[in-house]
Amino acid sequence: MKEKRLSKSAGGSQKMEATLAPHQKEVSNFLRSNDISIVIGMAGCAKDFVQLYRAVDALLNKEIEGIVITKPIVEVGKSIGFLPGEAGEKTAPYEASFYENLEKLVGKQTAASLKPKITFEHVGFVRGKTFKEHNMVIISEIQNFTLHELITYVTRLPESSKLFMNGDPDQIDIKNSGIFDFLKIMDGLDGVGIMTLDPDVHQMRRKLIVDIMKRYKKFKDDKGKIRPDKDE
């Protein structure tokens, strides 16, 4: 998809208030260069933040008309169909982190004005429909989608829209995650980019948290055996 300005205004003089660090600008530039961009990295690498930054910047600059956001709803022993309320009520608790980031990016007033242009959808309501033209779609935590659900999303993307995806293979919360097969299918396709973030560069959390996460990953890789005689 070629990025171009649309004639329809997306907010007049509204501007981004947040700035990206140099390593985050590298990710943002990567997102510009593909129709489907997949960013893989451990929790705390600001994957959602940078992807939302790029999408909101495009919205303010009239490159797109709207943003669609999807995050898996993982409930122990329940599916979304059994949770009380309408679709919006079911997804509302999972929208909070994105709206918090939105306010950090543009401030509360501009964030409020942009909310009508941002749609939060669950994969269960996507089947049989195609995303709108001139949109950017963000799919967060793809490790908690099945392969069928991920393919459902990528095959609903129109010519004039872009798709941003992110995930962390070390935070799989479902039994039938499709992330590994999905990455194999998508790797090498024209228009698709896959970027793996180096935690030593992109990690935004305090060092202690990073050390805990690295030790946890090693614990799982060693099949439950931590070797205290080896340095992390």
Side-chain angles (χ1 to χ4, degrees), residues 73 86-97 99 120:
I73 298 177
E86 300 297 325
E89 295 174 309
K90 294 178 180 182
T91 59
Y94 304 90
E95 301 176 32
S97 63
Y99 287 138
F120 198 99

Side-chain angles (χ1 to χ4, degrees), residues 2-220:
K2 293 183 178 179
E3 296 177 357
K4 60 182 181 181
R5 292 184 178 271
L6 303 172
S7 58
K8 186 177 180 180
S9 174
S13 61
Q14 296 169 325
K15 297 179 180 180
M16 303 292 288
E17 292 188 1
T19 57
L20 298 180
H23 61 274
Q24 293 174 328
K25 290 180 180 179
E26 179 184 353
V27 180
S28 181
N29 290 334
F30 164 78
L31 298 174
R32 291 175 178 271
S33 61
N34 309 291
D35 293 324
I36 299 176
S37 301
I38 306 170
V39 178
I40 302 299
M42 72 160 53
C45 287
K47 301 182 294 295
D48 282 329
F49 183 83
V50 177
Q51 291 187 333
L52 185 61
Y53 182 102
R54 172 64 199 122
V56 172
D57 186 56
L59 186 60
L60 293 178
N61 284 293
K62 297 178 279 188
E63 298 170 20
I64 59 172
E65 295 177 341
I67 299 170
V68 179
I69 298 173
T70 291
K71 186 175 183 178
I73 298 177
V74 180
E75 291 283 333
V76 178
K78 294 182 179 180
S79 68
I80 188 172
F82 294 101
L83 297 177
E86 300 297 325
E89 295 174 309
K90 294 178 180 182
T91 59
Y94 304 90
E95 301 176 32
S97 63
F98 284 96
Y99 287 138
E100 287 175 4
N101 280 336
L102 180 62
E103 291 184 355
K104 291 178 183 178
L105 292 175
V106 295
K108 289 186 177 181
Q109 184 175 353
T110 301
S113 70
L114 291 180
K115 277 188 177 182
K117 300 177 183 293
I118 300 175
T119 304
F120 198 99
E121 293 190 351
H122 181 266
V123 67
F125 305 118
V126 172
R127 187 176 293 108
K129 64 183 291 186
T130 299
F131 293 115
K132 294 180 180 179
E133 298 281 351
H134 304 295
N135 272 231
M136 284 186 176
V137 182
I138 300 174
I139 304 181
S140 181
E141 298 184 16
I142 64 171
Q143 75 275 3
N144 288 323
F145 287 98
T146 66
L147 178 61
H148 176 71
E149 288 170 339
L150 292 171
I151 295 299
T152 296
Y153 264 102
V154 298
T155 55
R156 298 297 189 271
L157 191 69
E159 181 70 23
S160 65
S161 295
K162 282 194 171 188
L163 177 59
F164 301 158
M165 312 177 84
N166 70 69
D168 177 4
D170 291 317
Q171 291 200 337
I172 294 174
D173 298 315
I174 62 174
K175 294 181 179 179
N176 54 342
S177 172
I179 185 171
F180 298 110
D181 289 336
F182 180 72
L183 292 175
K184 290 179 182 178
I185 291 170
M186 302 299 286
D187 188 30
L189 288 175
D190 289 340
V192 176
I194 302 175
M195 181 182 226
T196 301
L197 304 182
D198 181 349
D200 293 327
V201 175
H202 293 270
Q203 184 55 245
M204 303 297 290
R205 296 177 179 175
R206 59 185 293 185
K207 183 180 184 301
L208 175 60
I209 302 301
V210 178
D211 290 342
I212 292 172
M213 294 170 68
K214 286 182 177 180
R215 183 170 286 249
Y216 176 56
K217 182 179 187 305
K218 185 176 186 298
F219 178 88
K220 293 195 299 181

